[in-house]
Amino acid sequence: MTTLSDMNVEIAPVDEHTGPARHFRIRLSSTARGARLARHLAAEQLTSWGWPYDCEGNRTASLLVAELAANAVRHGQVRGRDFALRLTLYAEDATLRIEVTDARPDRSPPLPGTLTPADPDTESGRGLFLVESLSTHWGATAGDPYTKTVWCEVPLR
């Protein structure tokens, strides 16, 4: 059985980016409204960084934010605790790192590359497949005993 601490070793982010980076971070209510707001705020932030709403990079990143935020609300919710969205834009290679932190370190996602297909008759269970197929890499880390962060990186070009 793989634990979240084992996952940290396997999928912890590798700092391969150089040069300046731009950051955006916000805490949102762990509700459906908070998840929708995360997507809208991400799209707006990317627009302010020069990636307009109608470009493919903004649309893809917004979709990934929506999926990770929805998972944080659905699987990582603890009453009275928010989730956090953090965006980091590495300008030199136009890569966006998306991080969503929730309050359930005991509920970790499957390891990258080990996802099993959802039953065709179910209405959910495909979000991480989108994350895996649209991002260059993704994973989960636990920085403390109270939270976990699910992250992915996506090229905006």
Side-chain angles (χ1 to χ4, degrees), residues 83-128:
F83 74 92
L85 168 66
R86 180 180 174 143
L87 305 175
T88 304
L89 175 63
Y90 298 99
E92 282 193 20
D93 61 1
T95 297
L96 181 70
R97 182 178 176 88
I98 301 164
E99 299 177 12
V100 175
T101 301
D102 66 47
R104 292 300 301 262
D106 58 320
R107 291 189 179 174
S108 57
L111 291 170
T114 66
L115 297 173
T116 56
D119 187 327
D121 297 330
T122 62
E123 292 183 19
S124 63
R126 294 167 185 83
L128 286 178

Side-chain angles (χ1 to χ4, degrees), residues 26-136:
I26 191 166
R27 287 177 49 165
L28 298 161
S29 65
S30 202
T31 62
R33 182 176 184 224
R36 283 190 307 274
L37 186 55
R39 180 181 183 144
H40 292 297
L41 291 172
E44 180 63 32
Q45 187 61 51
L46 286 169
T47 298
S48 76
W49 286 340
W51 301 94
Y53 289 109
D54 60 350
C55 78
E56 185 177 340
N58 190 314
R59 288 191 303 265
T60 300
S62 296
L63 175 62
L64 293 172
V65 167
E67 292 299 335
L68 294 180
N71 281 351
V73 168
R74 183 172 189 160
H75 304 293
Q77 182 183 49
V78 171
R79 185 179 168 144
R81 304 263 318 265
D82 298 333
F83 74 92
L85 168 66
R86 180 180 174 143
L87 305 175
T88 304
L89 175 63
Y90 298 99
E92 282 193 20
D93 61 1
T95 297
L96 181 70
R97 182 178 176 88
I98 301 164
E99 299 177 12
V100 175
T101 301
D102 66 47
R104 292 300 301 262
D106 58 320
R107 291 189 179 174
S108 57
L111 291 170
T114 66
L115 297 173
T116 56
D119 187 327
D121 297 330
T122 62
E123 292 183 19
S124 63
R126 294 167 185 83
L128 286 178
F129 277 109
L130 285 172
V131 172
E132 190 164 73
S133 61
L134 295 175
S135 63
T136 54

Side-chain angles (χ1 to χ4, degrees), residues 1-13 105 108-112 138-143 151:
M1 180 171 136
T2 303
T3 66
L4 192 55
S5 61
D6 294 333
M7 289 175 49
N8 287 338
V9 174
E10 293 181 38
I11 61 174
S108 57
L111 291 170
W138 71 279
T141 58
W151 58 270

